[in-house]
Amino acid sequence: MVQAARVRATATGGARPLVTVRGVTKQFANGTIAVRDVNLDLATGEFVSLLGPSGCGKSTLLRMIAGLGDPSVGTIDWPTAMHDASGHAERDLGFVFQDPTLMPWATALANVTLPLRLKGVKGREAEDRGAEMLALVGLKGFETSYPRELSGGMKMRVSIARALVTHPKILLMDEPFAALDEITRHRLNDDLLGLWEANRFTAVFVTHSVFESVYLSQRIVVMAARPGRVMADLRVEAPYPRDELFRTSADYAHWCRIASEKLKEAIAS
Ligand code: ADP
């Protein structure tokens, strides 16, 4: 079962994957093995969720894909990316944390334009691109608002706009909506899907919610804890666009049941 899941996890058809995770183990200095022998290919443009109980290494894996920490064993590579002279891949990514992590002293627009300014895009061009991105996440008219003036959902929208403003190839999200109320969460799920369908970046979404993973994803990688490892790799064969109709459909219930069973197996393993 685990073996079969591993085989599927590394198969992405003919095209070169955007990211390859090969035999990755991460052991922290205190001895904790956060993930062990993870193999995973991420295909260009797909929407993948990492689903699993707390402590199964979802965040650790996501952070290593982002380059925030190196594997103890194994490799993470970006086969289609430019590499520098020492072989390091240029990771073209946006990252959304569970907390919006905005600069409190800066306006929404200044927060969103930060990655552009770090890349040397200045003045009017940065502001126009930032304002356009804020409009795309539903925050037109809030450019000059400060984080303290925004609701939790709006702050998360700013955080998503900041992650997408450079049009990265991949958007990595670490339980971004976990702290939000259900209605706001559903709305942000829909808006995220709208952005993904319009731009087709690769999306990797960490969650412990079966319902959220099924609603959003084409593919769900189910993980188990102690040590963190990949247990199953499911394809959610339901069409997009996904909306309220999908959320109440027999198809949605069917996929939630399958993902739930896999998660239960992972927790029991
Ligand atoms: P998840 O995102 O699935 O909740 P994490 O990746 O945060 O899981 O953590 C996986 C395991 O690694 C947990 O047991 C956690 O306590 C441990 N861990 C995470 N970060 C560190 C760290 N910096 N030092 C030591 N242990 C850590």
Side-chain angles (χ1 to χ4, degrees):
M1 160 71 214
V2 176
Q3 210 52 40
R6 274 196 195 136
V7 171
R8 279 199 304 279
T10 54
T12 53
R16 277 202 298 170
L18 184 66
V19 179
T20 59
V21 178
R22 293 281 181 271
V24 163
T25 294
K26 176 71 178 183
Q27 181 163 29
F28 286 107
N30 65 358
T32 303
I33 298 176
V35 292
R36 186 157 77 193
D37 194 23
V38 170
N39 292 285
L40 198 64
D41 282 2
L42 300 172
T44 299
E46 70 176 342
F47 200 123
V48 187
S49 281
L50 303 181
L51 171 70
S54 194
C56 72
K58 305 181 292 297
S59 297
T60 302
L61 180 58
L62 195 75
R63 293 171 70 86
M64 285 192 292
I65 292 170
L68 303 168
D70 292 320
S72 311
V73 180
T75 56
I76 296 181
D77 202 8
W78 296 60
T80 60
M82 305 267 283
H83 288 69
D84 66 18
S86 49
H88 291 117
E90 191 183 297
R91 298 173 159 97
D92 183 10
L93 62 89
F95 201 108
V96 180
F97 298 89
Q98 184 169 341
D99 187 276
T101 61
L102 303 178
M103 300 180 292
W105 61 87
T107 63
L109 184 62
N111 269 285
V112 170
T113 54
L114 176 68
L116 291 174
R117 283 184 273 123
L118 290 174
K119 282 190 170 222
V121 183
K122 291 196 179 79
R124 190 62 193 266
E125 190 192 342
E127 286 184 7
D128 287 351
R129 284 172 63 179
E132 187 187 357
M133 206 57 235
L134 275 172
L136 281 175
V137 298
L139 288 180
K140 191 169 172 54
F142 291 91
E143 294 82 2
T144 57
S145 300
Y146 287 87
R148 64 174 177 277
E149 300 168 318
L150 303 173
S151 69
M154 291 160 98
K155 279 189 265 207
M156 191 45 79
R157 287 172 190 277
V158 176
S159 178
I160 292 170
R162 182 184 55 191
L164 288 177
V165 74
T166 56
H167 296 288
K169 285 204 175 84
I170 187 165
L171 181 62
L172 305 172
M173 294 165 278
D174 193 357
E175 302 212 48
F177 309 143
L180 302 174
D181 66 81
E182 195 176 335
I183 295 167
T184 307
R185 187 173 182 159
H186 285 184
R187 240 184 244 146
L188 278 163
N189 282 165
D190 287 337
D191 291 349
L192 173 61
L193 281 184
L195 287 166
W196 173 70
E197 285 184 86
N199 299 286
R200 287 291 164 158
F201 45 83
T202 303
V204 185
F205 191 94
V206 163
T207 181
H208 54 254
S209 163
V210 165
F211 305 108
E212 192 172 41
S213 67
V214 169
Y215 189 72
L216 293 172
S217 319
Q218 295 175 305
R219 180 179 168 208
I220 302 175
V221 174
V222 184
M223 295 180 68
R226 279 173 291 279
R229 60 212 188 276
V230 172
M231 293 295 291
D233 195 343
L234 297 175
R235 293 244 154 236
V236 181
E237 309 276 4
Y240 293 86
R242 295 184 185 167
D243 51 20
E244 274 314 301
L245 232 98
F246 176 60
R247 214 188 274 286
T248 51
S249 68
D251 211 15
Y252 179 62
H254 164 77
W255 286 108
C256 286
R257 199 158 44 242
I258 291 180
S260 250
E261 277 162 17
K262 294 289 176 204
L263 184 60
K264 242 187 253 164
E265 282 171 24
I267 290 169
S269 69

